[in-house]
Amino acid sequence: MLTAKEIRDSFKNFFESKGHHIVPSAPMVIKDDPTLMFTNAGMNQFKDIILGNHPAKYQRVADSQKCLRVSGKHNDLEEVGHDTYHHTMFEMLGNWSFGDYFKKEAISWAWEYLVEVLKLNPEHLYATVFEGSPEEGLGRDDEAASYWEQFLPKDHIINGNKHDNFWEMGDTGPCGPCSEIHIDLRPAEERAKISGRDLVNHDHPQVIEIWNLVFMQYNRKADGSLEPLPAKVIDTGMGFERLCMALQGKTSNYDTDVFQPMLKAIAAMSGTEYGKDKQQDIAMRVIADHIRTIAFSITDGQLPSNAKAGYVIRRILRRAVRYGYTFLGQKQAFMYKLLPVLIDNMGEAYPELIAQKALIEKVIKEEEESFLRTLETGIRLLDKTMEDTKANGKTEISGKDAFTLYDTFGFPLDLTELILRENGMTVNIEEFDGEMQQQKQRARNAAAIETGDWITLKEGTTEFVGYDYTEYEASIL
Ligand code: ATP
Ligand code: MG
Ligand code: MG
Ligand code: MG
């Protein structure tokens, strides 16, 4: 069985053998782009080349990029822990052609790598192609389909709509159709019953997207029309942890050697086992995922703080602490103790972890301790609220009280509800929602002016796209 390290290396070696220059991962934290806080795809670091602002030093490059999808257009945070294939931080393997090769090579090399080098069973693979968009005068991407037909039977080539199979950088700029490779990991009996074709892109936990090949061939002009792009671009991204899952014969990313050592450490620390209890499993996955995000953000220069990117990181750390506190009995700081396990697992590929170990540990420990103090204070306040409510002969606490706990003490509603439930009590949800709406409005008014991190820039004007109230919106159960 190939290890994660061998898989990562094999990708780079393969594309190097096809004339690609291997570049390092860009930092996960972005400091100089008002439209993006974190790297969320391999192509981010090549944006200026793709836009034609910068000449390409190498026309073919490949890498493994640290990505984070917790804000803006790509926000997977709520899935993380609940499903088994979306992470906050993940590695995206990618290869690019800037005005050099195009669809034929991109498709045939993807196939060669997956099937001939890695020996994935072709019967498990599906490719999607853009079905076309008549209102824009765009036909089906028959060109991509014709290359796929050299490798896949027709019933494994699936038409996809604009949402899934047409990529655009923004309202204007480079864009084009894409082809995604999906893998069906269900047992043969189940595959015989219902075809993966009906499950591709339908959130089936064992029929998942592994690689996206984007073919940028148009430029979208300000009036919305498309013109051919002079220098066509190939931009691909493959989920490294998902690839490891497929190659290691697993059905969950967390069952691979990318996450197993960490899950074992968390389980040992909590005196439990992974795979025994649904709730605890979610908590363990959340912690195993989030420790990576927090550690890598710190090495890349983003400490937890009260604003913007720092606040996103702080909330992720708190989310992990909260799951540990609620479901794994972790009443003391514990996340920082997991760092040696992470370093053991990823330090070789990412030496910055080793170099900054002491700093990461210190920052995480202090953050944890301060959040735990807040949690304790909040719990005392909630105890008092429950007492007062009971004294009044009621079993429902007000939404306003729950909101204060949320807003001031970082108590998400689900945590409050959990504690209330243990005491045979409830909360007035409508009232809580009302308070939340008012808060959102206040934040919207303030943020529209202040926080560049949460906006998308639209031709000179700024359009606010909203805060992510994930701690409230994410369901813990
Ligand atoms: P999905 O539909 O599964 O959310 P996506 O279409 O949003 O994936 P892309 O933007 O096409 O993903 O990114 C390229 C590849 O990165 C995907 O094919 C997938 O393998 C991987 N990937 C995307 N999001 C995540 C994530 N949150 N965690 C792990 N891998 C991911
Ligand atoms: Mg997605
Ligand atoms: Mg997708
Ligand atoms: Mg995709």
Side-chain angles (χ1 to χ4, degrees):
M1 190 178 81
L2 289 175
T3 63
K5 181 181 182 316
E6 288 166 341
I7 296 167
R8 189 189 293 112
D9 289 345
S10 84
F11 181 85
K12 293 180 185 171
N13 292 342
F14 177 80
F15 280 99
E16 197 164 33
S17 80
K18 303 291 182 193
H20 290 64
H21 183 76
I22 308 302
V23 298
S25 172
M28 193 167 76
V29 178
I30 298 177
K31 293 288 186 196
D32 57 358
D33 186 337
T35 66
L36 203 59
M37 288 195 287
F38 303 107
T39 298
N40 63 18
M43 58 76 58
N44 293 162
Q45 68 164 314
F46 306 116
K47 196 170 145 189
D48 278 330
I49 297 175
I50 297 170
L51 286 169
N53 299 336
H54 242 294
K57 192 162 167 208
Y58 305 98
Q59 280 193 293
R60 299 178 182 190
V61 297
D63 70 9
S64 166
Q65 172 67 51
K66 298 174 276 188
C67 293
L68 188 55
R69 293 195 168 184
V70 290
S71 57
K73 177 178 161 194
H74 289 290
N75 188 346
D76 293 332
L77 185 57
E78 288 178 43
E79 262 68 62
V80 175
H82 294 264
D83 79 13
T84 51
Y85 55 98
H86 279 101
H87 302 295
T88 52
M89 181 202 150
F90 63 101
E91 291 179 67
M92 195 186 280
L93 304 171
N95 60 289
W96 286 268
S97 154
F98 305 118
D100 187 2
Y101 65 84
F102 205 48
K103 291 180 198 180
K104 182 173 192 288
E105 292 83 354
I107 291 173
S108 59
W109 288 341
W111 188 265
E112 184 184 335
Y113 178 60
L114 293 179
V115 177
E116 285 169 35
V117 177
L118 298 178
K119 312 275 183 240
L120 282 180
N121 183 345
E123 285 173 26
H124 294 219
L125 299 177
Y126 286 81
T128 62
V129 297
F130 180 47
E131 67 187 0
S133 168
E135 63 274 19
E136 296 202 71
L138 294 174
R140 175 175 183 259
D141 191 357
D142 287 332
E143 190 194 350
S146 74
Y147 299 129
W148 286 120
E149 280 165 23
Q150 296 177 2
F151 308 113
L152 282 167
K154 278 202 168 144
D155 67 340
H156 277 231
I157 302 169
I158 301 167
N159 284 346
N161 59 23
K162 213 174 150 182
H163 176 257
D164 288 319
N165 285 86
F166 196 86
W167 185 88
E168 312 221 24
M169 186 182 280
D171 293 329
T172 59
C175 57
C178 67
S179 264
E180 293 178 338
I181 302 173
H182 294 249
I183 188 159
D184 186 344
L185 297 166
R186 294 172 303 150
E189 318 85 78
E190 280 181 49
R191 276 189 283 119
K193 271 186 247 153
I194 164 170
S195 154
R197 168 183 272 276
D198 299 320
L199 304 172
V200 163
N201 271 329
H202 284 85
D203 292 330
H204 188 290
Q206 285 171 38
V207 185
I208 53 174
E209 177 186 333
I210 53 169
W211 202 348
N212 192 358
L213 316 179
V214 181
F215 315 123
M216 293 181 211
Q217 63 188 90
Y218 304 109
N219 179 39
R220 168 102 47 203
K221 295 199 287 185
D223 67 2
S225 64
L226 296 172
E227 64 185 8
L229 205 62
K232 295 191 178 93
V233 171
I234 288 293
D235 158 32
T236 88
M238 171 153 60
F240 170 66
E241 298 78 6
R242 295 184 190 183
L243 180 65
C244 291
M245 160 174 76
L247 288 170
Q248 296 180 357
K250 311 291 185 196
T251 49
S252 158
N253 287 5
Y254 294 92
D255 292 342
T256 66
D257 62 346
V258 180
F259 288 101
Q260 272 299 307
M262 186 57 78
L263 287 169
K264 289 211 174 88
I266 299 166
M269 179 186 266
S270 314
T272 180
E273 272 166 54
Y274 183 66
K276 230 177 60 186
D277 174 84
K278 193 166 164 252
Q279 213 66 262
Q280 292 195 326
D281 286 354
I282 294 173
M284 284 189 256
R285 289 197 290 266
V286 164
I287 294 162
D289 175 279
H290 290 12
I291 184 75
R292 296 175 5 131
T293 294
I294 298 155
F296 277 96
S297 300
I298 297 171
T299 64
D300 283 4
Q302 184 58 64
L303 301 184
S305 76
N306 250 342
K308 302 181 186 178
Y311 188 54
V312 174
I313 300 307
R314 172 165 285 169
R315 282 188 319 171
I316 292 173
L317 185 137
R318 290 179 170 190
R319 187 173 188 254
V321 171
R322 176 159 59 75
Y323 272 90
Y325 186 96
T326 313
F327 297 112
L328 300 171
Q330 299 292 343
K331 307 291 180 206
Q332 309 283 327
F334 66 97
M335 297 276 287
Y336 77 97
K337 293 184 194 157
L338 298 169
L339 207 62
V341 186
L342 183 70
I343 290 181
D344 203 38
N345 199 248
M346 298 187 81
E348 198 184 327
Y350 297 99
E352 62 268 31
L353 283 176
I354 302 172
Q356 299 193 40
K357 177 170 185 269
L359 172 75
I360 309 170
E361 262 174 355
K362 180 168 173 283
V363 170
I364 296 183
K365 184 163 184 267
E366 279 171 12
E367 273 291 313
E368 286 191 88
E369 283 170 350
S370 106
F371 180 54
L372 284 165
R373 279 195 295 277
T374 314
L375 263 181
E376 299 288 347
T377 316
I379 284 170
R380 274 201 296 279
L381 183 76
L382 183 54
D383 282 344
K384 169 101 182 34
T385 309
M386 289 193 295
E387 249 173 55
D388 293 350
T389 310
K390 277 186 194 155
N392 287 333
K394 293 190 195 142
T395 56
E396 185 189 75
I397 74 159
S398 76
K400 220 175 157 67
D401 284 336
F403 187 76
T404 305
L405 280 166
Y406 162 76
D407 201 33
T408 314
F409 297 94
F411 261 53
L413 182 62
D414 45 31
L415 179 61
T416 303
E417 284 184 305
L418 193 86
I419 296 168
L420 288 172
R421 215 165 27 242
E422 284 167 1
N423 289 278
M425 300 186 75
T426 56
V427 56
N428 185 329
I429 306 269
E430 294 80 48
E431 217 173 273
F432 180 89
D433 286 342
E435 295 285 331
M436 181 62 77
Q437 283 315 319
Q438 286 178 27
Q439 160 84 317
K440 274 196 178 181
Q441 194 52 49
R442 284 196 298 273
R444 196 165 286 141
N445 295 342
I449 314 155
E450 291 168 11
T451 50
D453 293 287
W454 300 89
I455 56 175
T456 52
L457 295 181
K458 254 188 167 180
E459 293 188 61
T461 65
T462 53
E463 185 204 342
F464 178 67
V465 294
Y467 265 94
D468 292 359
Y469 275 90
T470 331
E471 287 214 298
Y472 160 58
E473 280 156 4
S475 156
I476 207 169
L477 299 171

